[in-house]
């Protein structure tokens, strides 16, 4: 599952590196919504709050299911999340088999609008072209 966190017409995204041929997280860079898997005994809502805290340091205040979206790993449920005030900070992946960081950055990405100018278009996944500036 993934969290849609919106502030000032921007959505929070996490930069990650995929697994490279070396077996380390030195592959393709991409931007994605914060989120992850559901742990044993967790509800999807509890899991998305936990994942957002782990990845961004933000505290979820309310969670509402909004839609399913295709990801490379399959369909993912997206939840609109309001968070407590504060700035995000990059977390650390707990339990990775390697010592390399998978998450490498956070960014507030501007939202697009539909043709009427009032519906937010949330990008669930953005692939990098190599430039991260």
């Amino acid at each position: 599952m993934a969290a849609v966190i919106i502030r000032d017409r921007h959505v929070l995204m996490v930069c990650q590196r995929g697994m490279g041929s070396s077996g380390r997280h030195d592959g393709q860079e991409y931007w994605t919504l914060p989120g992850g898997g559901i742990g044993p005994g967790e509800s999807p809502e509890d899991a998305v709050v936990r994942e957002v805290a782990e990845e961004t340091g933000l505290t979820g205040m309310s969670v509402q299911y909004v839609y399913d979206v295709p990801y490379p790993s399959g369909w993912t449920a997206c939840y609109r999340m309001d968070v407590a005030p504060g700035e995000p900070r990059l977390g650390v992946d707990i339990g990775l088999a390697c010592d390399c960081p998978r998450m490498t950055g956070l960014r507030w990405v501007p939202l697009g609008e539909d043709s009427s100018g009032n519906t937010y278009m949330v990008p669930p996944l953005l692939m990098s072209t190599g430039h991260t500036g």
Side-chain angles (χ1 to χ4, degrees), residues 34-35 38-39 52 81 102 104 122:
I38 301 172
V52 164
M81 181 182 290
R102 181 176 57 114
T104 61
V122 175

Side-chain angles (χ1 to χ4, degrees), residues 15 17 29 31 106-109 128-133:
C15 185
R17 287 207 175 267
E29 188 173 77
W31 291 87
L106 296 171
R107 180 171 291 168
W108 291 102
V109 175
S128 174
T129 59
H131 178 67
T132 60

Side-chain angles (χ1 to χ4, degrees), residues 41-62:
E42 274 186 318
S43 69
E45 294 82 4
D46 289 341
V48 75
V49 168
R50 175 186 50 76
E51 288 284 352
V52 164
E54 290 174 2
E55 293 183 10
T56 71
L58 296 172
T59 302
M61 302 298 288
S62 66

